[in-house]
Amino acid sequence: MAQDSGEPVSQAELAGSPVLLAETPAAPARRQRARIPLAPGEVRWLALPFLAPALVLLGAILLYPLIYSIVRSLFADGPAGGFGSFAGLRNYGSIFTDSSTLRAVENNLLWLVVVPTIVTILGLIFAVLTERIRWATAFKTVLFMPMAISALASGITFALIYADQPSRGLANTITVGIHDAFGSSSAYPTVFSNDAAAYSGSASAGYTTKSTFAPGSPALLPLTGLNLQSPPPDARQAAMPSAARGVYGVVWNDFRLGGGGTAGKIDPRELGLPGIQVQAIRGSQVVATTTADAHGGFVFPGLTSGRYQLRLPAANFAAAFGGVSWLGPNLITPAIMIAYLWIYAGFAMVLLAAGMSAISRDALEAARMDGATEWQVFRRITVPLLAPVLTVVFVTLIINVLKVFDIVFIIGQSAGANQKYSDVLAVSLYNAFGNQQYGLASAIGVILVLAVIPMMVVNIRRSRKEQR
Amino acid sequence: MALARTTMAAIAVGAATMGLAAACSSGKSSTPPAQSGSAAAAAFKGQSFTILGQWTGLEQSAFQSVINKFDKSTGAKGQYTPAAGGSEPTVLGAKVAGGTPPDIAILSLPGAIAQYGTAGKLHALSATSQAAVAQNFATEWATLGTVKGTEYGVPVDASDKSTVWYNATAFMNAGITSTPTTWPGLIADAKTLAASGVHTPISVGGGDGWTLTDWFENVYIRTAGLANYDKLTHHQIKWTDPTVATALTALKQIWGDKALIGSPSAALTVPFTGSVDNVFKASPTSAIVYEASFVATTIPADKDPAKVGTVAKYFPFPSINGSAPVVEAAGDFAVAFTSNPAAQAFMTFLASPQAAQLLVSYPGSGFISANKNLAATAYPDPTTAGLGQQIVSVGDNFRFDMSDQAPAAFGGTPNKGEWADLQTFLGNGNVQAAQAALEKDAESVTWTS
C-alpha cells in the first residue's frame, strides 16, 4: 500500500479540480468528467480497490435493503414478523384499499401539489426582495436560520404554537385576542339549568320560564354551574329586591360551596348572578330588558300590569371563544405545511439568491435602459435566467416532500386522535413497521422509492447536461 | 441524537461500573436471592445478559436496583436497555426478526407473549422459575404467561385498572360525602359536580385510544359478565354481539353527555396525562378521571399537583346493573428469548418477594406487585399499599386487560383498530357503526389463541 500512496493523491488532484470547477455555476471551463487522461504509468483497474470501500458500503446499506424490501413486500406477514405466504401484489393493493394508508396517499399528493410550489415561490420572492434591501445579509440569515434547527425541534415548537388552550398555544392566543377585541366573551359561560320544569330552552338558546309572572309576585330564577372556587368578585348573597313596582325577582346560583341547599329556594351562602341579562316577554315580543344587581335582584319598573314570561338570553351563557382547532381534522395538514414552509423557505431563498448573483447584471441593466418595468425585468429576464436553479430547488423540494416524516410525525403526536388526519406515506410506513406488518411497510417503502425515481432521473439528466 | 449518544455513553459507563462492583463483591458471599439456592454467590461470574423493556425514569431506576442486587449476589452482569422512542414492540420485533433478540424482554402484552410463543421464539421457564411463580402469584397470573401449555412469563409488576380517581376537594365543594358505587350514582354525582361549577365533571383522555379501551373493558366486564369477557378477548364472539351493544350503550350515557365530559371533539385531543392534569392541577376543570392505579404516579408531574391520598383519591369502578365486584388488571411479564443461564436465574429472582420489594419500595417508581408474599409494609405510602393489597386480595377473581391480550395491530396501536374505533365512537356515539368497524378491524388481524 505504501508504494501506491503517491498515485492516488495525484489522481485525486487531477480528478478533483475539474469537478469542482464544473460545480460552480459561473465556471468558464466545462470539461467532461468521464474522459480524464491517465497519468503516465497509471492503470485503470487501480481505481477498483479505492472504490471498493464505498461500493461495499453502498451495497450493504443501500442495495441489499432495497432488494430485501422489494422481496419482503411480495410476502404476507408470518408469525413474529417472519415471512408469510407469497402475497403477490396484495400488500401494494392494501395501500390503496385501507382507509388509513389511502388517506396518507392523499395527503402525500396534497403535499406534492402545494408545498414545493409555494416554497419555491416564497424563496424566489425573498431572494428578489433581499437583493434590494440594506440589511440583506441579516435578513437572509434570519430566514435561513430555521434550516439550522432540527426538524424535530421545529416540530415540537410548532406543536406548542398550535396547542388548543389559548394559555398555551401562541396561534390561539392571537386568534382569541383578536376575536375578543371585537366581541367580549359572556359573563357566565359555565352556568346552566337542568330544571326542565321551570325553563324551556338551553344554554345555547337561552332559558325561558314556563310560567308567567305578574307585577307584585316575585320571580325565582335558579341556575347552577357557577365556579364557586372563583366566583365573580361583585357577587353577593342572593336576595330578593325589596318589593317594588312592576315585575321583579332574583336570578341566582342555586348551589353553595359544600352543597346542602334546597333546590329552588334561596339558601344562605348562595350567590346572586350580577350583571346577568333578563328579558320580559309578552307573546313572543321582548317588551323590556334589565340586568341583575349584585344580589341577583332585578326589577322591571315599567311593567305594572299584565303577565310576562322571563327569559335569560343565550348571550349570558355563550361559551368563551376557544380559538381555532389548528390540529383538528381539517387544519392539521395545512398547519404542518406552514411549519415546513417556515423551515424550507430560507433554503430556497439562499439557493435562488446564489443563482441570482450569477446572473449577468448587463442583461438586467439593458432591459431597464430600454424602459422595461421591474415586473417585466423579473418576468422576462430574471426568471428565465434563473430557470436551472429554480429546477434544482423545485426538484429537491419534491424529493424532500415525498419522504417528509419527522415534522409530520412530531406535530401529529400532539394532536391526539386527530393524528391520523395528518398521516403521510412515510408515517404510515413507520406505523406499519411498528405493527410488525413488514410486508405492508416494505410495499410503502418501494412505492416511495418508485415515486422518487423520476425526480432523480430529472436531476441526473440536468446535472449531466450542465457538465457537458 | 446528542441526547441518545449521551445516554448510550452513560449506559456504557454504568455497565462498566457495575462490572467493577461485581468484581469487588464477588469475594464476599451475600445471600442468594434466587429461591432455588442454586444461584449461589458468583455463580454467574462474568456472564452477562441483556434485558429490553420500556421503562424509563424512576421506573427504570427501580428495575435497575433489582438488577444490581442480582448482579451483586451472583457476579452476573445484567444490562437493561429501554426501547428507543418508547416503542418496545417495534424494537423487539425488529430484533427478533433480525435474529438478535435480547435475553429477556419485559412485555406488557400477553398478546405478544402468545405471538412469540406460538412462533417458537421464546424459551420456556425453568422448573425453578415455574415453582417460584406458583409459590408467589395467584394461578391466573401464571396462566397469563402460558401459551399452549408452556409457561413463558414471570409477572413483574401489576396495575389495577378498575380505579376511578377523583378530586376530594371538588367532591367536598359539591357536598358529595360518599363516593358512588353504581353507574347511575356516578352519573348523578357527576351532574351534581357540574352544578357545583366543575365545568367538565368527568375528564376523558380520548387523545390516547388505550384509555378508551380501558373504559370499555370495565363496562363490558360488568354488563356482559366474565364468560363473555373471556370470549370477546379471544374474538370467540363477534364485536357485533348484542352484549357489545349493551356495553357501548351504557358507555354512551357518559361519553354522549356533553354536560358530563364536555365536547367529545375536545376530549379527543386530550392525552392521558392531560386528562389526569385536568382533575389534579391547581385550578382543576374536572373532578373525576377514570384510569388505572398508575394515575398515582402521573399526578406528581402536574404543576402544583394535588396530594395523592388526601386530595387525589380513588374508588372502585362502579357496579352496573348490580354486577359483582370485579377487577380489571394489567401488568408486565418477563420472557426469555434465549437459554442464557444467568438470564434464567434472573427470571427466577424476578418472581421472588425480594425483587418485588425492591421494585415497589423504590421512591417514586409507583410499582405495584401481585406477589402475594410481599409484605404490605414494602410500599412507600398507604395509597400504593392499598392498591397493592387490592391486586393481591382479588386472587384469581380478576381479568387481564382485554386489548393487551389482543394482537397489537387491533388492540395496541395508536389510531388503528380498537383504539381508533372507540375514538370514533366517542366522537359520534353511533353504536352500530362502532360495532361494525370493530368487527371489521378484528377480522383483519390473526388471533393466536
Side-chain angles (χ1 to χ4, degrees):
Chain A
M1 285 308 281
Q3 67 209 40
D4 295 343
S5 64
E7 280 163 4
V9 174
S10 63
Q11 191 186 23
E13 278 173 347
L14 272 174
S17 46
V19 173
L20 274 176
L21 282 173
E23 273 176 2
T24 320
R30 294 233 162 95
R31 275 206 271 160
Q32 266 190 320
R33 213 168 13 157
R35 299 276 180 271
I36 301 163
L38 292 174
E42 214 174 31
V43 207
R44 203 169 277 282
W45 62 260
L46 209 58
L48 210 60
F50 295 102
L51 283 176
L55 285 180
V56 168
L57 271 181
L58 277 179
I61 65 175
L62 219 74
L63 207 58
Y64 169 71
L66 182 67
I67 293 166
Y68 184 92
S69 296
I70 294 173
V71 174
R72 187 67 187 80
S73 71
L74 301 175
F75 286 86
D77 299 308
F83 275 75
S85 55
F86 184 74
L89 294 177
R90 233 171 298 151
N91 285 324
Y92 292 89
S94 64
I95 296 176
F96 299 98
T97 50
D98 183 84
S99 62
S100 68
T101 43
L102 187 61
R103 188 188 292 119
V105 171
E106 290 166 1
N107 276 342
N108 250 85
L109 286 176
L110 190 66
W111 273 84
L112 207 55
V113 170
V114 174
V115 174
T117 315
I118 296 188
V119 173
T120 313
I121 291 174
L122 274 181
L124 186 58
I125 292 174
F126 289 144
V128 170
L129 294 184
T130 46
E131 272 222 314
R132 302 298 184 79
I133 60 172
R134 194 181 290 250
W135 293 88
T137 315
F139 188 74
K140 279 183 196 165
T141 310
V142 168
L143 275 177
F144 189 71
M145 228 177 243
M147 277 297 285
I149 303 171
S150 80
L152 191 125
S154 308
I156 291 172
T157 312
F158 269 88
L160 286 171
I161 289 175
Y162 290 135
D164 263 349
Q165 303 95 315
S167 58
R168 220 176 267 176
L170 177 68
N172 269 348
T173 313
I174 294 170
T175 34
V176 169
I178 292 173
H179 178 273
D180 287 357
F182 290 103
S184 62
S185 53
S186 70
Y188 298 105
T190 65
V191 169
F192 66 96
S193 169
N194 272 338
D195 194 345
Y199 301 105
S200 58
S202 64
S204 52
Y207 294 104
T208 310
T209 58
K210 288 192 168 162
S211 43
T212 55
F213 299 92
S217 65
L220 287 172
L221 304 181
L223 293 171
T224 52
L226 184 71
N227 185 350
L228 298 172
Q229 294 293 308
S230 54
D234 53 341
R236 298 285 174 271
Q237 165 70 42
M240 190 63 75
S242 48
R245 281 167 56 88
V247 174
Y248 70 98
V250 62
V251 50
W252 87 107
N253 187 53
D254 190 13
F255 203 102
R256 63 185 181 191
L257 201 59
T262 314
K265 280 186 70 177
I266 301 174
D267 296 296
R269 293 192 293 112
E270 287 182 351
L271 298 173
L273 297 172
I276 204 165
Q277 204 182 48
V278 188
Q279 296 174 333
I281 295 179
R282 194 169 206 178
S284 57
Q285 292 289 311
V286 176
V287 293
T289 301
T290 186
T291 52
D293 62 22
H295 302 279
F298 61 90
V299 182
F300 293 100
L303 305 178
T304 50
S305 64
R307 297 188 72 84
Y308 302 88
Q309 277 179 299
L310 297 176
R311 177 188 288 165
L312 303 165
N316 291 318
F317 314 110
F321 176 68
V324 179
S325 182
W326 296 103
L327 300 182
N330 302 321
L331 286 181
I332 184 162
T333 295
I336 297 172
M337 286 177 177
I338 288 173
Y340 188 91
L341 291 186
W342 179 77
I343 297 175
Y344 278 93
F347 160 80
M349 175 202 66
V350 166
L351 284 195
L352 292 170
M356 282 180 67
S357 64
I359 293 178
S360 148
R361 298 279 120 184
D362 303 351
L364 302 177
E365 293 305 321
R368 286 192 185 114
M369 291 292 281
D370 290 347
T373 62
E374 281 307 310
W375 171 246
Q376 282 172 325
V377 170
F378 173 75
R379 179 73 194 77
R380 306 273 175 188
I381 315 278
T382 313
V383 172
L385 285 177
L386 259 185
V389 188
L390 279 171
T391 317
V392 174
V393 171
F394 193 71
V395 169
T396 311
L397 283 168
I398 285 183
I399 294 174
N400 254 321
V401 156
L402 274 171
K403 60 174 194 179
V404 66
F405 172 79
D406 36 22
I407 196 157
V408 179
F409 182 72
I410 292 295
I411 299 184
Q413 280 204 328
S414 57
N418 296 325
Q419 181 184 9
K420 56 177 178 281
Y421 297 103
S422 73
D423 281 358
V424 290
L425 276 176
V427 174
S428 296
L429 190 162
Y430 174 86
N431 290 340
F433 190 80
N435 297 336
Q436 299 186 25
Q437 296 171 300
Y438 297 134
L440 177 65
S442 304
I444 298 176
V446 171
I447 293 263
L448 280 177
V449 169
L450 289 179
V452 168
I453 283 178
M455 293 305 117
M456 295 194 339
V457 168
V458 169
N459 243 359
I460 292 169
R461 278 219 183 127
R462 193 198 42 74
S463 69
R464 273 208 192 132
K465 213 164 78 187
E466 224 163 62
Q467 278 161 25
R468 229 168 256 147
Chain B
M1 283 314 284
L3 185 69
R5 230 175 278 134
T6 320
T7 317
M8 289 306 288
I11 289 169
V13 170
T17 326
M18 270 153 46
L20 266 178
C24 294
S25 65
S26 60
K28 300 174 219 154
S29 82
S30 43
T31 47
Q35 300 216 323
S36 63
S38 65
F44 302 106
K45 189 168 186 307
Q47 296 188 31
S48 62
F49 59 99
T50 54
I51 307 160
L52 180 74
Q54 52 192 354
W55 291 317
T56 53
L58 289 170
E59 289 176 322
Q60 179 179 352
S61 310
F63 189 64
Q64 188 63 52
S65 73
V66 178
I67 300 174
N68 291 349
K69 172 82 177 168
F70 178 78
D71 287 354
K72 209 173 168 191
S73 47
T74 64
K77 270 186 263 177
Q79 184 171 341
Y80 171 78
T81 317
S87 177
E88 193 195 357
T90 311
V91 176
L92 182 63
K95 276 181 183 287
V96 173
T100 55
D103 291 318
I104 296 174
I106 313 287
L107 299 174
S108 58
L109 310 171
I113 302 180
Q115 189 193 358
Y116 287 120
T118 314
K121 302 284 183 190
L122 295 182
H123 202 82
L125 284 192
S126 66
T128 42
S129 292
Q130 284 191 33
V133 172
Q135 191 185 338
N136 294 312
F137 292 89
T139 326
E140 181 69 16
W141 286 99
T143 314
L144 283 163
T146 303
V147 183
K148 298 198 170 116
T150 313
E151 197 175 337
Y152 295 107
V154 169
V156 183
D157 72 311
S159 51
D160 181 343
K161 290 209 145 184
S162 291
T163 51
V164 183
W165 292 80
Y166 68 100
N167 187 317
T169 312
F171 270 50
M172 199 175 68
N173 289 342
I176 302 169
T177 48
S178 60
T179 53
T181 54
T182 64
W183 192 248
L186 174 65
I187 294 172
D189 281 349
K191 289 199 164 149
T192 309
L193 285 160
S196 80
V198 179
H199 188 217
T200 308
I202 301 178
S203 175
V204 177
D208 283 324
W210 57 267
T211 63
L212 304 183
T213 67
D214 290 345
W215 266 99
F216 170 78
E217 285 151 12
N218 268 293
V219 171
Y220 188 77
I221 202 170
R222 283 166 178 77
T223 55
L226 298 177
N228 280 322
Y229 185 92
D230 290 340
K231 283 183 195 157
L232 191 62
T233 301
H234 301 293
H235 201 223
Q236 287 154 359
I237 51 175
K238 288 179 180 238
W239 284 83
T240 45
D241 195 82
T243 54
V244 178
T246 311
L248 288 176
T249 310
L251 207 46
K252 204 176 146 183
Q253 292 177 327
I254 287 181
W255 285 11
D257 193 338
K258 282 187 181 185
L260 301 183
I261 67 152
S263 132
S265 61
L268 282 172
T269 65
V270 179
F272 160 67
T273 46
S275 71
V276 174
D277 190 54
N278 285 342
V279 178
F280 300 113
K281 63 185 172 185
S283 48
T285 49
S286 297
I288 298 173
V289 60
Y290 156 67
E291 245 314 325
S293 48
F294 48 74
V295 165
T297 48
T298 313
I299 293 170
D302 288 349
K303 201 177 163 193
D304 299 325
K307 199 164 160 26
V308 176
T310 51
V311 175
K313 292 179 157 184
Y314 69 91
F315 55 85
F317 201 93
S319 153
I320 305 178
N321 299 331
S323 64
V326 60
V327 167
E328 189 199 349
D332 294 291
F333 294 84
V335 291
F337 281 89
T338 67
S339 57
N340 184 332
Q344 291 294 321
F346 182 68
M347 298 270 284
T348 312
F349 178 52
L350 271 181
S352 69
Q354 293 98 306
Q357 163 131 21
L358 285 168
L359 274 183
V360 305
S361 62
Y362 196 90
S365 77
F367 274 125
I368 287 164
S369 174
N371 194 312
K372 58 189 179 192
N373 294 320
L374 173 70
T377 49
Y379 288 96
D381 61 84
T383 309
T384 41
L387 288 162
Q389 191 64 38
Q390 203 173 333
I391 271 287
V392 170
S393 64
V394 292
D396 288 335
N397 188 24
F398 74 92
R399 283 299 181 273
F400 203 85
D401 190 309
M402 187 192 285
S403 56
D404 286 356
Q405 297 185 69
F410 177 70
T413 311
N415 299 314
K416 276 204 75 165
E418 190 182 356
W419 294 20
D421 294 336
L422 287 177
Q423 285 175 325
T424 308
F425 175 66
L426 172 61
N428 66 19
N430 188 333
V431 174
Q432 272 192 328
Q435 283 187 285
L438 284 160
E439 180 56 28
K440 182 168 166 275
D441 288 337
E443 271 171 8
S444 73
V445 300
T446 321
W447 296 76
T448 43
S449 50

